Each structure stands twice: as C-alpha cells, then as structure tokens.
Amino acid sequence: MKNVIFAGVGGQGVILVSKILMDVALKNGFDVKESEVHGMAQRGGSVECHVRFGTEVSSPLIPKAGADYILCLELLEAMRKLEYLNKNSVLIINREQINPAPVEIGAMEYPSDIESWLKNNFPNTIIVDTGEILKEVGTKRALNVVMLGCLSRFLDFNIKDWEESISKFVKESALEQNIKAFKMGRELIA
Amino acid sequence: MKKEIMLGNEAIARGAWEAGCHVAAGYPGTPSTEILETIAFKYRDIKAQWSPNEKVALEVAAGASVAGARALATMKHVGLNVAADPLFTFSYTGVNGGLVIINADDPGAWSSQNEQDNRHLARAAKVPMLDASSPSEAKEFTKLAFDISEKFDRPVIVRITTRVAHSQGIVNLEEKQNIPLKDFVRDPKKYVMIPAHARPRHVFIEEQIIKLKEYSTTSGLNFIEWKNKKRGIIANGVAYQYVKEVCSEDSILKIGMVWPLPDDLIKEFASQVEELYVVEELDPFIEDYVKSLGFKVKGKEIIPLCGELTPEIVDKALNGKNIESPLPAYQGVIPPRPPKLCAGCPHGFVFNILKKLDLVVNGDIGCYTLGVLPPYSAMHSQGCMGASIGMHLGFEKARGDEMARNSVAVIGDSTFIHSGITPLIDLVYNKGTGTVIIMDNRATAMTGHQENPATGKTLMGEETFELDLEMMAKACGVKRVTVVDPRDAELLEKVIKEEVAAKEPSVIITKRKCILKK
Ligand code: SF4
C-alpha cells in the first residue's frame, strides 16, 4: 500500500491533485481511499489530504508514522505533518512562505530555521523551488500540479495515465499549462 | 459494473437518486452540505431545495413522503436538534413513500460547536439508524434506507461522520430504480397525531422495533467476520475501518445498523470470543447496550470518549503499539493557521467598529463567528443557530439598561432566517431595547456560499421571491431599522452608536455581498 499526504493552505488546490492521484491509482487497478480536512469556506486555513492506494484499503486516514510521501505546498505546513514520517518517508516541500494570521498581525513569528532544521534532522527532505517554473508556465495556480509532477517521479505509473487524469480534472482552457507544469515538476526531481 | 471515485456526500446523493428519490430538502451544514449540492448539480430529476432550516426541511420531506414520494432530508448533527420536533412525531405517523434523513455527526468538532452523538436521537425517537463506514456503504445504505422505511413504516436515519462525508472512495454505480409515486390515501388515524391516534401508533412503533431488531440480525447490515476467537471486537462507522486495519487477526462484529442493535447477533458473537471489545467514536452507545445484555466488555476504559478516533489511537489501545518518530521534537514554536475572514470580507468592516466601540457582542453561527479571534477579538457569546438575539435579550433582562446600551447582537442573513426571526419577535414583544445587527452578505457563506430566501435564488438556480430583511424586521415590530453599507466606516460607526444608545429595539442591516459569492 502507498500512503501520500498533500498539505497546504486553503486555495492552493490540494484536493484537486489528490483527486488526480486517486484517478491514476484507480486506473491502475488499485483500491483507493482519501480523507480530507479543509475547514470552512473561508480561505487561509490549513488543508490536508490523505490518499491511500493498494490491494485493499480500510482506513481512509494514514496512521501516524505511516506516510510514504508527504507533499507540502508551503514550508510551515510541513512542520505540522512531521508525525506522519517514518525513516523511509520522503518529504517534498515547496520553498514558499505564506504567513498565517498570527504572524500577519505580529503576534507570532514565522520560524526561520525550518529548512536547516529539516535538513539536519530528516535526510529524506527535498525542498524545491517552483517560482521559475510557475513563471514559465504562466500561472501560480499550477503549483499543485508541479508538486504532483514531483511525486510522479516516485510512483510507478506511466505518463499517459497521469496526463489523462489531469485532463479529467483540469479545465480545458488551463490544460496545456497544467500538463507543462506537471512535466516540469517531474523534471525537478533528479 | 461501472465504478467511480466519490466523496461520501456525493455517494449519498447518488444512492438517493438510484433509489428513485423524488424530493430532497435540507439546510447547509458542514459536513453534510455537498449532498444536496450534488443532487442539484447532477441529479436534477430530484426536486431539491434549501429550506430555511432543518425543521422545515424535514417537514417538507415528511409531507412529500405522506403524499407518496420517496423523500430525503439532509443536515448536520446539530441540525437534527432543530428538526427533532418533527422527527419525534413523524416517527409516530410513519411514512408513505420512503423517508430518509441523512445525519452528519462531527467527531473532532472539525466544523461544529459540539461533538454530540446522534445515535442517541435514533434510539429516543424510535427510528432505525444505519451507520456508514465508507463512501461505498454510504451509497448502499442510503438506497437501502428507502426500502427499510417503506417496509417498516418508519423514517430512517443514515448516519455519517465527517470522516465518511469528507472522504473519497470507490463506489459502484447502478441504474436508477423507477419508483412511481404511491397513492395518497386520506388516513387521519395515521397522519393526524391527536392523542387518540397517537396512543395506538405508539403500540405499533414498539411492535415495529421488535421486528427491526430481528431484521438487524438477519439483514446482513450487521455481520461477523470470524477470525481468531481469542479477541472479538464490535465496531461501527469508520472505527470499523481502523479496527480492520490494525487488528487483522481478531474477529469483528461490524455494526452497520446501529439502532435497533442486533441482540441475537451480539449474543452469538459475545458468547464465542474470549475477550470482548467495543471500538466506537464518541459515547459508549454500543458498549452500554452490550453490557445491558449481560456481557463483560471493554470499551471506553481504553478508547477515548472525546474527539475523533484514528488508526493509531485504536492500535495503541488494542495492541499497545507506540509510534516511533524518526525525528527529535522541534523546539521552536509553530504558529497555527486558523481560518480567517477573507481579505475584504464585509464582516471585517463591522468587527472593526465593534472592536473600536468595545461593545459586548452576542454572536451567532457563520463566517462572522471568526470575529471572536484576533485581530478583532470582538465576540463574547455564541451558542447555536439564532441564539444571539435571544441571549441579547437575556443579557438585558439580567443586567438592565446599562447592558443594552453597551452591547449588540450580530447574526448573518441566513442564520437570521433560520432561527433569528422568532427571538427578534420576542425582543420586541417582551420590551427589550437592544440592537441587532443583521450582517447581510447575500449568501450562506461559511458552508460554501449557498443561496437562501434572501438571495432571490433557489438551490436549483431559479429566480424566486427575495425576502426583504428590512420589511421582515419591521413586521416583527422594530421601528428603528437602518440599512448601511459596511464599507462606509464613518457612517456605520455613527449608526451603531446612535442605535445602541436609543432606548428602543433597533435593527441595523449591514448589506454587502460576500466577496466569494458569484
Ligand atoms: S466567505 Fe464571504 S463571508 Fe465568509 S469570510 Fe470570506 S468574504 Fe467573508
């Protein structure tokens, strides 16, 4: 069984990419379950999606220390997911800082040592820069699909399946951009 | 068979459609909202509607049922409190066309004011309750619930929890059953609950519950998965999935029909295993029942009563497994990321002023409840839908004019229509002098910007009569009614000061559309 967590901030499109991943897994004959926590309609809260696929999936929640891959679309959100890591997990983080409300109003500080702390304490951390890609793709909204591209490098599904599923969930008008974003994300992982 | 990945709530919509449901009504409430939205979007042959509140929704569904239709009512757990009155009486009348209520509990209180366990309501109202553990079951159970409802002449509740409503899984798609309307037969002995009719109906209900108990044992909704008999675990809902995952060697009695419980099946299971456990979220509902049958069982002494369960909580409780983290604990402080009002949200303008004037604010339920958090920190009471106005009057009754001159009630348009009108009548009737601010953002925003009677549009997207909140307040007897655009800070401040100072009831309608509403 494979266990994938997507984490981000409301509005970053975490749920959409989890749907794409599920669709690819289903196409490849796996049982699949997902669980999402996305709070209320307002923007800006933490969002988390668990996706699991394998021969038979019972719990829709990944147990603590049970994630194979954690994809974080924002730095700080990664720090909330550490309990899901085990020594074989891979943690992929987008190097971006989005200030939560308490930081915005000056009541708290955004920790400045996240990157160095993770590098020192969890060797399987990959921090990616997506800024250039998004500029080239032409929309910041494709960040979620760039990260999906990163993930795809670790999973044994073929490109055609990915592209097909992306086209199922992304608006026609944004499809080309998203496919490009996906491919460039895939290239980000050595 | 065609398969599709669906959200639990989408699966329920699908199940209702496959069952030939004709009418569906509800009130938005996380985590139940997507059910009716899916129906309105995908299954448009069902007549679906947002009602002003859950009580009305259930009454509409009950009316449709008595008139011969298969009918669905959807709501979150606290919504069923609002609809408890019709629930308890339509339990007496029973149904004509199948009547199914979807009740979404929220263990963990992800988006609710409490963690109430509505299995108790099924028992109290004497209606059967199915409890789904996955999206695919949610669909199957919804479908089956219509049959059970008609077969046993009971409304049937399908209970889901957040972890089922907002989780996705593979669902088998089947054809829609074409169910014609049943005849409507005038039958006051069944449908008019005067005491003389209610007494024999009570006897009938108790007979049905006995039959349902048997059905609960034989229907396959509750079943035993025999494995090692050293340990037997009874589990329902998503807890069953956790047990299945972490106790793969143990025998399991899976509870899909949680009321009435299957006495014979429980006895068969309990008497054959060496050690008996119940794993359930929230209250010891099944556990107490099993104990009442005379069995020794472990449940809440090892499984938490509060909060949501997770696979590792169950693993720890049953297998003593501790999780080893490969990382040391991070020593810094990780700031939380609470939801916040969107930048430019109309409510923000109002809270800026309320904070500045340092008023006591009796709040209500909606996006604006976030006014309690920094940077505003401007809310001092909040309970259930519509409570702001009644509590506001209570504050005045307790502490007199001084309190009324230093406080306001704030309530959204949808919440006002849901449960705010009667307390406003009370405020005027019982000579209160307080100020009520109706924050009219032209949407039921928190649950995803649904339409409501004041937006002039229906769930199905049709134009309709637009309730005039100003006229409504006046009709309740409020003479001082002012409508303000909250963006005009100066004017808003002036109006709030004047109205709070006035020694008679007043309503201020701050009118500006939610920025996310289309
Ligand atoms: S969804 Fe609308 S009402 Fe709610 S916080 Fe955002 S702008 Fe305000």
Side-chain angles (χ1 to χ4, degrees):
Chain A
M1 176 147 53
K2 288 274 181 266
N3 295 295
V4 181
I5 294 179
F6 293 98
V9 177
Q12 283 190 314
V14 161
I15 291 173
L16 183 87
V17 281
S18 73
K19 281 190 175 159
I20 297 172
L21 171 59
M22 276 187 280
D23 194 59
V24 174
L26 175 68
K27 235 181 309 192
N28 283 271
F30 291 110
D31 186 15
V32 36
K33 274 190 182 162
E34 177 257 22
S35 177
E36 54 198 53
V37 166
H38 45 68
M40 302 178 272
Q42 311 91 354
R43 299 294 154 95
S46 300
V47 181
E48 170 182 332
C49 254
H50 292 199
V51 178
R52 318 186 76 192
F53 56 93
T55 351
E56 196 197 336
V57 184
S58 296
S59 163
L61 272 182
I62 295 169
K64 303 270 157 71
D68 296 299
Y69 306 98
I70 302 185
L71 283 101
C72 299
L73 280 63
E74 198 269 353
L75 266 171
L76 187 60
E77 291 313 302
M79 300 305 281
R80 300 185 214 285
K81 302 291 161 280
L82 302 180
E83 55 192 7
Y84 288 99
L85 294 170
N86 57 54
K87 61 181 195 318
N88 299 318
S89 316
V90 178
L91 176 62
I92 308 172
I93 308 172
N94 173 38
R95 181 179 277 122
E96 190 187 341
Q97 175 174 333
I98 301 174
N99 288 340
V103 173
E104 250 172 35
I105 62 170
M108 292 179 90
E109 269 179 43
Y110 196 105
S112 56
D113 63 341
I114 295 180
E115 277 197 55
S116 57
W117 189 87
L118 282 171
K119 281 216 178 98
N120 290 333
N121 291 291
F122 194 70
N124 299 352
T125 305
I126 302 172
I127 299 186
V128 295
D129 279 303
T130 54
E132 284 304 309
I133 295 184
L134 294 172
K135 230 183 257 164
E136 201 178 320
V137 169
T139 170
K140 278 190 155 182
R141 298 186 57 177
L143 168 66
N144 54 351
V145 179
V146 175
M147 296 300 283
L148 190 69
C150 296
L151 173 72
S152 74
R153 212 29 185 252
F154 296 89
L155 301 175
D156 203 12
F157 299 131
N158 70 47
I159 289 274
K160 232 188 103 241
D161 287 347
W162 284 109
E163 288 185 1
E164 235 176 64
S165 295
I166 292 172
S167 67
K168 195 165 150 189
F169 290 98
V170 168
K171 267 196 298 195
E172 177 93 50
S173 56
L175 183 57
E176 210 176 302
Q177 282 178 319
N178 276 282
I179 298 281
K180 190 168 174 190
F182 177 81
K183 286 186 172 156
M184 293 182 81
R186 205 172 151 85
E187 294 305 314
L188 262 182
I189 304 293
Chain B
M1 200 182 298
K2 231 189 130 203
K3 288 177 182 176
E4 206 176 294
I5 293 173
M6 283 188 179
L7 198 65
N9 283 341
E10 292 168 342
I12 289 171
R14 175 81 195 187
W17 179 78
E18 286 180 5
C21 174
H22 304 97
V23 176
Y27 183 79
T30 316
S32 71
T33 313
E34 296 86 355
I35 303 169
L36 280 194
E37 288 185 324
T38 305
I39 289 179
F41 182 63
K42 271 179 137 173
Y43 308 114
R44 291 184 69 89
D45 43 344
I46 300 176
K47 289 183 191 128
Q49 63 165 63
W50 291 128
S51 290
N53 66 31
E54 295 86 353
K55 175 182 187 295
V56 179
L58 180 51
E59 288 157 354
V60 169
S65 154
V66 172
R70 285 195 154 186
L72 184 78
T74 70
M75 58 203 67
K76 67 183 292 176
H77 61 340
V78 287
L80 195 56
N81 298 340
V82 178
D85 200 2
L87 173 69
F88 277 69
T89 299
F90 293 127
S91 168
Y92 271 58
T93 64
V95 308
N96 183 19
L99 174 60
V100 175
I101 299 154
I102 309 291
N103 163 87
D105 278 10
D106 190 17
W110 289 103
S111 48
S112 308
Q113 63 267 47
N114 73 29
E115 291 189 289
Q116 73 184 52
D117 186 335
N118 276 3
R119 291 178 298 174
H120 299 292
L121 276 184
R123 180 180 182 154
K126 300 178 189 288
V127 300
M129 178 182 261
L130 311 185
D131 196 344
S133 75
S134 67
S136 87
E137 263 188 13
K139 194 206 85 167
E140 292 312 320
F141 285 10
T142 302
K143 230 171 138 171
L144 189 59
F146 283 98
D147 296 336
I148 297 173
S149 173
E150 286 171 6
K151 183 164 176 209
F152 294 94
D153 193 9
R154 312 274 63 228
V156 176
I157 303 175
V158 176
R159 175 181 185 255
I160 48 171
T161 57
T162 304
R163 215 40 91 179
V164 174
H166 284 170
S167 104
Q168 305 190 46
I170 300 172
V171 173
N172 289 327
L173 304 186
E174 291 159 295
E175 294 298 313
K176 174 181 167 154
Q177 300 167 358
N178 265 318
I179 307 275
L181 285 184
K182 288 189 170 180
D183 291 337
F184 166 62
V185 184
R186 297 181 190 200
D187 184 1
K189 282 210 168 80
K190 177 159 158 50
Y191 296 122
V192 181
M193 278 306 104
I194 54 173
H197 297 170
R199 285 179 209 116
R201 284 303 290 181
H202 187 187
V203 175
F204 169 80
I205 291 173
E206 299 301 343
E207 287 164 5
Q208 294 309 92
I209 290 291
I210 292 168
K211 287 185 197 153
L212 276 157
K213 227 173 226 185
E214 204 183 303
Y215 177 83
S216 190
T217 288
T218 56
S219 64
L221 276 163
N222 302 312
F223 56 87
I224 299 173
E225 295 171 338
W226 285 121
K227 287 205 176 141
N228 194 324
K229 293 193 175 172
K230 265 183 96 102
R231 191 158 75 169
I233 303 167
I234 306 177
N236 69 305
V238 76
Y240 160 76
Q241 304 288 1
Y242 303 150
V243 169
K244 213 169 145 68
E245 177 146 332
V246 303
C247 303
S248 52
E249 300 303 311
D250 300 316
S251 295
I252 304 176
L253 167 52
K254 200 283 189 179
I255 299 292
M257 183 171 203
V258 79
W259 190 256
L261 283 160
D263 290 10
D264 291 344
L265 208 58
I266 294 171
K267 286 177 193 158
E268 181 192 337
F269 188 71
S271 59
Q272 290 190 50
V273 296
E274 281 172 40
E275 268 190 306
L276 184 64
Y277 290 81
V278 173
V279 179
E280 58 192 324
E281 282 183 318
L282 302 175
D283 294 342
F285 184 84
I286 300 173
E287 180 186 343
D288 287 349
Y289 190 84
V290 172
K291 282 181 176 159
S292 79
L293 294 177
F295 294 101
K296 226 180 116 210
V297 56
K298 273 198 189 138
K300 289 297 155 186
E301 62 194 90
I302 56 163
I303 300 287
L305 185 66
C306 305
E308 195 186 24
L309 296 182
T310 59
E312 68 278 355
I313 289 176
V314 178
D315 209 4
K316 178 150 198 238
L318 282 135
N319 304 327
K321 189 177 159 197
N322 280 311
I323 285 150
E324 285 162 40
S325 173
L327 290 93
Y330 176 69
Q331 295 304 325
V333 181
I334 302 167
R337 193 184 296 278
K340 55 177 185 185
L341 293 179
C342 306
C345 170
H347 299 323
F349 303 118
V350 182
F351 280 112
N352 282 335
I353 309 284
L354 296 179
K355 184 183 179 181
K356 182 173 168 198
L357 300 179
D358 196 26
L359 296 171
V360 171
V361 177
N362 290 303
D364 224 299
I365 296 186
C367 286
Y368 48 90
T369 313
L370 293 172
V372 69
L373 299 179
Y376 310 106
S377 306
M379 189 171 292
H380 311 99
S381 82
Q382 178 254 9
C384 54
M385 294 288 283
S388 57
I389 302 176
M391 289 188 73
H392 192 46
L393 178 60
F395 267 67
E396 183 177 355
K397 293 284 169 188
R399 308 191 73 93
D401 188 61
E402 202 199 322
M403 176 50 79
R405 302 287 73 78
N406 278 295
S407 61
V408 292
V410 299
I411 184 167
D413 47 339
S414 193
T415 308
F416 176 69
I417 296 163
H418 179 291
S419 290
I421 298 168
T422 37
L424 185 61
I425 293 171
D426 193 33
L427 190 143
V428 177
Y429 172 56
N430 282 307
K431 300 180 170 292
T433 65
T435 300
V436 174
I437 301 178
I438 302 176
M439 299 173 133
D440 179 10
N441 63 353
R442 324 292 301 144
T444 308
M446 183 170 61
T447 44
H449 329 107
Q450 287 77 21
E451 306 295 342
N452 68 49
T455 67
K457 275 228 176 98
T458 68
L459 168 63
M460 306 292 269
E462 301 148 332
E463 305 280 328
T464 184
F465 174 76
E466 184 180 322
L467 182 71
D468 185 329
L469 296 175
E470 192 182 342
M471 268 165 60
M472 178 54 100
K474 285 185 176 153
C476 292
V478 181
K479 297 209 179 75
R480 302 179 70 102
V481 182
T482 323
V483 183
V484 208
D485 179 347
R487 269 245 291 247
D488 189 341
E490 214 172 297
L491 179 65
L492 180 62
E493 181 173 343
K494 183 171 158 273
V495 169
I496 293 178
K497 276 187 183 157
E498 272 172 23
E499 296 309 304
V500 170
K503 295 197 172 190
E504 57 177 311
S506 59
V507 166
I508 303 167
I509 300 172
T510 57
K511 189 165 177 173
R512 175 162 278 274
K513 196 157 117 181
C514 159
I515 58 163
L516 296 185
K517 176 91 174 5
K518 286 202 192 85

